Amino acid sequence: MKINKHYMDIEETYLFSEVAERVRKFMAENHGAALIKMGIGDVTRPLCPAAVEALIKASEEMGTAEGFHGYGPEQGYEFLRGEISDYYDRNSGVNLFSDEIFVSDGAKSDLGNILDIFDVDNVVAVTDPVYPVYVDTNVMAGRKIVKLSATSDNAFLPMPFPGLEADIIYLCSPNNPTGAAYDRQRLQIWVDYANEHGSVILFDAAYESFISDPDVPRSIYEIEGSRSCAIEFCSFSKTAGFTGVRCGYTIVPAGLVRDGVQLRKMWLRRQTTKFNGVSYPVQRAAAACLKDAGHKQIMENIAYYKENARIMAETFEELKWPFTGGKNSPYLWVRCPGGMKSWAFFDDLLSRANVICTPGSGFGECGEGYVRFTSFNTRDNTIEAMKRIREIFT
Ligand code: MLT
């Protein structure tokens, strides 16, 4: 028996597990410290009333002979795919066919699972810093990775360069971790690159609902030519507070064909083999969040987090700490003061302010010297964290 040796090529622990471990150790030595978590991007607002109502109603239906649902369609119920398709139409002016939409338990799983349909010899391009899932899932499979530096010199938005040979390209916009977002022009350059080279863009749109800038597309399908080169991943986690409920979706356009095969058909084959779909009550709740009343409620939560981000940005500006993000994104990517390294600043902030951030170096070499803060905490905690930071660093 042989194990998959590629697992030896990744860090022993996932970034957020390492952060959690350091916090656990700190708490063991500092009982009762009033920690404020601005590390992992987990939401704090409760589910919106429309989602709760739909969950209850669907669960009650499941307790009746007429309303009981067993295995659902692997691709997701038509009622949810219909709502997603209407949402794209309203939100981005994008028309999707229902059979291009695949409902799942979240973008993270799909971003890793999609690799099943690609050969191991493909070269993968990722930005650096990067959401660790893109790198780790490919390294686990033994794929070669090319890193595209995202630094203040390119506004944290790497572009294709002469000589770049990439078969699979991960783009996350608005970006996790930097919060930077591609505008239409820049995204068009990536789409043209992918079509010319026969590459596939894996576009992570998990933070699209935080976009306020009209120049920033909410979906890659707003860009001409994208339907023949891009797969889009999205999630209800950050948009509707579903991190503990689990629901997302992936779009594989019918026009995306490689080696004469529709990738949509391959993904359908993969999902029908390895996945049994998302539970009926959860899909009802997700659908409720896209209808008028529910959507208004979830956007109130997004506005709440965006106001937190504004408060944080104000503090970092006052302290003259260079940062990006926070405008179209719940993340603020902040340069550590005094040239400190990421983990050193993480430890300093934890011990002196009892505030948890995420060390930028955990997202890649170019993240060294930065940390990421999330705006997902409560208003009171956000204000309190900023007060502590101001007191210590002013
Ligand atoms: C993050 O903090 O980067 C996110 O919570 C990760 C995720 O959505 O899986």
Side-chain angles (χ1 to χ4, degrees), residues 14 16 39-42 108 131 176 207 238 331 363 372 374:
Y14 185 57
F16 296 105
I40 192 163
D42 199 1
K108 179 176 173 177
Y131 178 40
N176 180 11
Y207 301 95
K238 312 297 154 77
Y331 298 124
F363 295 102
R372 190 195 74 176
T374 85

Side-chain angles (χ1 to χ4, degrees), residues 301-312:
N301 287 343
I302 300 286
Y304 178 98
Y305 296 132
K306 282 174 75 75
E307 174 58 13
N308 285 350
R310 194 199 58 74
I311 293 167
M312 295 159 72

Side-chain angles (χ1 to χ4, degrees), residues 5 54 58 75 90 137 163 175 289 324 361 391-392:
K5 291 244 166 32
Q75 208 173 330
R90 285 196 311 273
T137 50
N175 188 264
C289 292
T324 183
S361 55
E391 277 167 12
I392 293 169

